[in-house]
Coordinates of all heavy atoms in Angstrom, one line a residue:
P1 N 25.8 -30.8 -1.8 CA 26.2 -30.7 -0.4 C 27.8 -30.2 -0.3 O 28.5 -30.6 -1.1 CB 26.0 -32.1 0.1 CG 26.0 -33.0 -1.1 CD 25.4 -32.2 -2.2
G2 N 27.9 -29.3 0.6 CA 29.2 -28.7 0.8 C 29.6 -27.6 -0.2 O 30.6 -26.9 0.0
D3 N 28.8 -27.4 -1.1 CA 29.0 -26.2 -2.1 C 27.9 -25.2 -2.0 O 27.1 -25.2 -2.8 CB 28.9 -26.9 -3.5 CG 29.7 -26.0 -4.5 OD1 30.2 -24.9 -4.1 OD2 29.5 -26.2 -5.8
M4 N 28.0 -24.4 -0.9 CA 27.0 -23.5 -0.6 C 27.0 -22.3 -1.5 O 28.0 -21.9 -2.0 CB 27.1 -22.9 0.8 CG 26.9 -24.1 1.9 SD 25.1 -24.6 1.7 CE 24.2 -23.3 2.2
P5 N 25.7 -21.8 -1.8 CA 25.8 -20.7 -2.8 C 26.3 -19.3 -2.2 O 26.1 -19.2 -1.0 CB 24.2 -20.6 -3.2 CG 23.6 -21.1 -2.0 CD 24.4 -22.2 -1.5
S6 N 26.7 -18.4 -3.1 CA 27.1 -17.3 -2.6 C 26.0 -16.1 -2.6 O 26.0 -15.3 -1.9 CB 28.3 -16.6 -3.4 OG 27.9 -16.5 -4.8
R7 N 24.9 -16.5 -3.4 CA 23.7 -15.7 -3.6 C 22.7 -16.6 -3.9 O 22.8 -17.6 -4.4 CB 23.9 -14.6 -4.7 CG 25.1 -13.7 -4.6 CD 25.0 -12.5 -5.5 NE 23.9 -11.6 -5.3 CZ 23.9 -10.6 -4.4 NH1 24.9 -10.5 -3.7 NH2 22.8 -9.9 -4.3
I8 N 21.4 -16.1 -3.7 CA 20.3 -16.8 -4.2 C 19.3 -15.8 -4.8 O 19.4 -14.5 -4.5 CB 19.5 -17.5 -3.0 CG1 19.0 -16.6 -2.0 CG2 20.4 -18.6 -2.5 CD1 18.1 -17.3 -0.9
T9 N 18.5 -16.2 -5.7 CA 17.5 -15.3 -6.3 C 16.1 -16.0 -6.1 O 15.9 -17.1 -6.6 CB 17.8 -15.3 -7.9 OG1 19.1 -14.6 -8.1 CG2 16.8 -14.4 -8.5
L10 N 15.2 -15.2 -5.5 CA 13.8 -15.6 -5.5 C 13.1 -15.1 -6.6 O 13.3 -13.8 -6.9 CB 13.3 -15.1 -4.2 CG 13.9 -15.4 -2.8 CD1 13.3 -14.7 -1.7 CD2 13.8 -16.9 -2.6
T11 N 12.3 -15.9 -7.3 CA 11.5 -15.4 -8.5 C 10.0 -15.0 -7.9 O 9.6 -15.6 -6.8 CB 11.4 -16.4 -9.5 OG1 10.9 -17.6 -8.9 CG2 12.7 -16.6 -10.0
A12 N 9.4 -14.1 -8.5 CA 8.0 -13.8 -8.1 C 7.3 -13.6 -9.4 O 7.7 -13.1 -10.5 CB 8.1 -12.3 -7.4
S13 N 6.0 -14.0 -9.4 CA 5.1 -14.0 -10.6 C 4.8 -12.5 -10.9 O 4.5 -12.1 -12.1 CB 3.8 -14.7 -10.2 OG 3.1 -14.1 -9.3
G14 N 4.8 -11.7 -9.9 CA 4.3 -10.3 -10.0 C 2.9 -10.1 -9.6 O 2.4 -9.0 -9.5
G15 N 2.2 -11.2 -9.4 CA 0.9 -11.3 -8.8 C -0.1 -10.7 -9.9 O 0.1 -10.6 -11.1
A16 N -1.4 -10.3 -9.4 CA -2.4 -10.0 -10.3 C -2.2 -8.7 -10.9 O -2.9 -8.5 -12.0 CB -3.8 -9.8 -9.3
F17 N -1.3 -7.8 -10.6 CA -1.2 -6.5 -11.1 C 0.0 -6.1 -11.7 O 0.4 -4.9 -12.0 CB -1.6 -5.4 -9.9 CG -3.0 -5.6 -9.2 CD1 -2.9 -5.6 -8.0 CD2 -4.0 -5.8 -10.0 CE1 -4.1 -5.8 -7.3 CE2 -5.3 -5.9 -9.3 CZ -5.3 -6.0 -8.0
F18 N 0.8 -7.1 -12.1 CA 2.1 -6.9 -12.7 C 1.9 -6.0 -14.0 O 1.1 -6.4 -14.9 CB 2.9 -8.1 -13.1 CG 4.1 -7.9 -13.7 CD1 5.2 -7.4 -13.0 CD2 4.4 -8.4 -15.0 CE1 6.4 -7.1 -13.8 CE2 5.5 -8.2 -15.8 CZ 6.5 -7.6 -15.1
G19 N 2.7 -5.0 -14.2 CA 2.7 -4.1 -15.3 C 1.9 -3.0 -15.0 O 1.9 -2.0 -15.9
R20 N 1.2 -2.9 -14.0 CA 0.4 -1.6 -13.7 C 1.2 -0.7 -12.9 O 2.2 -1.1 -12.1 CB -0.8 -1.9 -12.9 CG -1.8 -2.9 -13.6 CD -3.2 -2.8 -12.9 NE -4.0 -3.9 -13.3 CZ -5.4 -4.0 -13.0 NH1 -6.0 -3.0 -12.2 NH2 -6.0 -5.0 -13.4
T21 N 1.0 0.7 -13.0 CA 1.7 1.7 -12.2 C 1.0 1.7 -10.7 O 0.0 1.1 -10.6 CB 1.5 3.0 -12.8 OG1 0.2 3.4 -12.7 CG2 2.0 2.9 -14.2
R22 N 1.8 2.2 -9.9 CA 1.1 2.4 -8.4 C -0.2 3.2 -8.5 O -1.2 2.8 -7.8 CB 2.1 3.1 -7.5 CG 1.6 3.1 -6.1 CD 2.8 3.3 -5.2 NE 2.4 3.5 -3.8 CZ 2.2 2.4 -2.9 NH1 2.3 1.3 -3.4 NH2 1.8 2.7 -1.7
G23 N -0.3 4.2 -9.4 CA -1.6 4.9 -9.5 C -2.7 4.2 -10.0 O -3.8 4.2 -9.7
E24 N -2.4 3.2 -11.0 CA -3.4 2.2 -11.6 C -3.8 1.3 -10.6 O -5.0 0.7 -10.8 CB -2.8 1.7 -13.0 CG -2.6 2.7 -14.0 CD -1.8 1.9 -15.1 OE1 -1.1 1.0 -14.9 OE2 -2.0 2.5 -16.3
M25 N -3.0 1.1 -9.6 CA -3.5 0.0 -8.6 C -4.1 0.6 -7.4 O -4.8 -0.2 -6.5 CB -2.2 -0.7 -8.0 CG -1.4 -1.8 -8.9 SD -0.2 -2.6 -8.2 CE 1.1 -1.5 -8.0
E26 N -4.3 1.9 -7.3 CA -4.9 2.6 -6.2 C -6.3 2.2 -5.9 O -6.7 2.0 -4.8 CB -4.9 4.1 -6.5 CG -5.1 4.9 -5.2 CD -4.6 6.3 -5.2 OE1 -3.4 6.6 -5.4 OE2 -5.5 7.2 -5.2
N27 N -7.1 2.0 -6.9 CA -8.6 1.7 -6.8 C -9.0 0.3 -7.2 O -10.1 0.1 -7.5 CB -9.3 2.7 -7.6 CG -9.2 4.1 -7.0 OD1 -9.2 4.4 -5.7 ND2 -8.9 5.1 -7.8
V28 N -8.0 -0.6 -7.2 CA -8.3 -2.0 -7.5 C -9.2 -2.6 -6.4 O -9.1 -2.2 -5.3 CB -7.2 -2.9 -7.7 CG1 -6.3 -2.3 -9.0 CG2 -6.2 -3.0 -6.5
T29 N -9.9 -3.6 -6.7 CA -10.9 -4.3 -5.9 C -10.2 -5.6 -5.3 O -9.3 -6.2 -5.8 CB -12.1 -4.7 -6.5 OG1 -11.9 -5.7 -7.5 CG2 -12.8 -3.5 -7.2
L30 N -10.8 -6.1 -4.2 CA -10.4 -7.3 -3.6 C -10.5 -8.5 -4.7 O -9.7 -9.3 -4.8 CB -11.2 -7.6 -2.3 CG -11.0 -9.1 -1.7 CD1 -9.5 -9.1 -1.3 CD2 -11.9 -9.3 -0.6
A31 N -11.6 -8.5 -5.4 CA -11.8 -9.6 -6.5 C -10.7 -9.5 -7.4 O -10.3 -10.6 -7.9 CB -13.2 -9.3 -7.1
E32 N -10.3 -8.3 -7.9 CA -9.2 -8.3 -8.7 C -7.9 -8.7 -8.2 O -7.2 -9.5 -8.9 CB -9.0 -6.8 -9.2 CG -10.2 -6.3 -10.0 CD -10.0 -4.7 -10.5 OE1 -9.9 -4.0 -9.5 OE2 -9.8 -4.5 -11.6
A33 N -7.6 -8.4 -6.9 CA -6.5 -8.8 -6.3 C -6.3 -10.3 -6.1 O -5.3 -10.9 -6.0 CB -6.3 -8.3 -4.9
L34 N -7.5 -11.0 -6.1 CA -7.6 -12.4 -5.9 C -7.4 -13.3 -7.1 O -7.4 -14.5 -7.1 CB -8.9 -12.9 -5.1 CG -9.0 -12.4 -3.7 CD1 -10.4 -12.7 -3.1 CD2 -7.9 -13.1 -2.9
K35 N -7.2 -12.6 -8.2 CA -7.2 -13.2 -9.6 C -5.7 -13.5 -9.9 O -5.1 -12.7 -10.7 CB -7.8 -12.5 -10.7 CG -9.3 -12.4 -10.6 CD -10.0 -11.6 -11.6 CE -11.5 -11.6 -11.4 NZ -12.2 -10.7 -12.6
H36 N -5.1 -14.4 -9.2 CA -3.6 -14.6 -9.5 C -3.4 -15.5 -10.8 O -4.3 -16.3 -11.1 CB -3.0 -15.5 -8.4 CG -1.6 -15.5 -8.4 ND1 -0.8 -16.2 -9.3 CD2 -0.7 -14.9 -7.5 CE1 0.5 -16.0 -9.0 NE2 0.6 -15.2 -8.1
P37 N -2.6 -14.9 -11.6 CA -2.5 -15.5 -13.1 C -1.9 -16.9 -13.1 O -2.1 -17.6 -14.0 CB -1.4 -14.5 -13.7 CG -0.6 -14.0 -12.5 CD -1.5 -13.9 -11.4
N38 N -1.2 -17.4 -12.0 CA -0.6 -18.8 -12.1 C -0.8 -19.8 -11.1 O -1.0 -20.9 -11.3 CB 1.0 -18.5 -12.2 CG 1.4 -17.6 -13.3 OD1 0.7 -17.6 -14.4 ND2 2.5 -17.0 -13.2
W39 N -0.9 -19.3 -9.8 CA -0.9 -20.1 -8.6 C -2.4 -20.2 -8.0 O -3.0 -19.3 -7.9 CB 0.1 -19.6 -7.5 CG 1.6 -19.7 -7.9 CD1 2.3 -18.8 -8.4 CD2 2.3 -20.9 -7.9 NE1 3.6 -19.2 -8.7 CE2 3.5 -20.5 -8.5 CE3 2.1 -22.2 -7.5 CZ2 4.7 -21.4 -8.4 CZ3 3.2 -23.1 -7.6 CH2 4.4 -22.6 -8.1
S40 N -2.6 -21.4 -7.4 CA -3.9 -21.6 -6.6 C -3.4 -21.6 -5.2 O -2.8 -22.4 -4.6 CB -4.5 -22.9 -7.0 OG -5.6 -23.2 -6.0
M41 N -3.8 -20.3 -4.5 CA -3.4 -20.2 -3.1 C -4.5 -19.7 -2.2 O -5.6 -19.3 -2.9 CB -2.2 -19.2 -3.0 CG -1.1 -19.5 -3.9 SD 0.4 -18.3 -3.9 CE -0.4 -16.9 -4.7
G42 N -4.4 -19.5 -1.1 CA -5.4 -19.0 -0.1 C -5.6 -17.4 -0.4 O -4.6 -16.8 -1.0
A43 N -6.7 -16.9 0.2 CA -6.9 -15.4 -0.1 C -5.8 -14.6 0.4 O -5.3 -13.5 -0.3 CB -8.3 -15.0 0.5
K44 N -5.4 -14.8 1.6 CA -4.4 -13.9 2.3 C -3.0 -13.9 1.4 O -2.6 -12.8 1.1 CB -4.1 -14.4 3.7 CG -2.9 -13.5 4.3 CD -2.5 -14.1 5.6 CE -1.3 -13.1 6.2 NZ -0.1 -13.0 5.4

């Protein structure tokens, strides 16, 4: 308390398609998008 940060960093898992190019993601399916590697979350 009283020592406020100058910056913050939000981390992101990268989701289901981390490592793919935009072209490789063009034709992915909903089922593939819903396969999150780490977290249990709702579909949206």
Side-chain angles (χ1 to χ4, degrees):
D3 194 5
M4 290 300 292
S6 60
R7 303 186 67 82
I8 64 176
T9 298
L10 301 175
T11 55
S13 68
F17 305 129
F18 176 65
R20 300 196 195 186
T21 66
R22 187 161 174 79
E24 290 169 338
M25 289 190 286
E26 192 163 296
N27 295 311
V28 297
T29 66
L30 175 62
E32 290 176 298
L34 290 173
K35 291 179 180 177
H36 197 285
N38 301 331
W39 293 98
S40 173
M41 305 180 292
K44 176 189 181 299

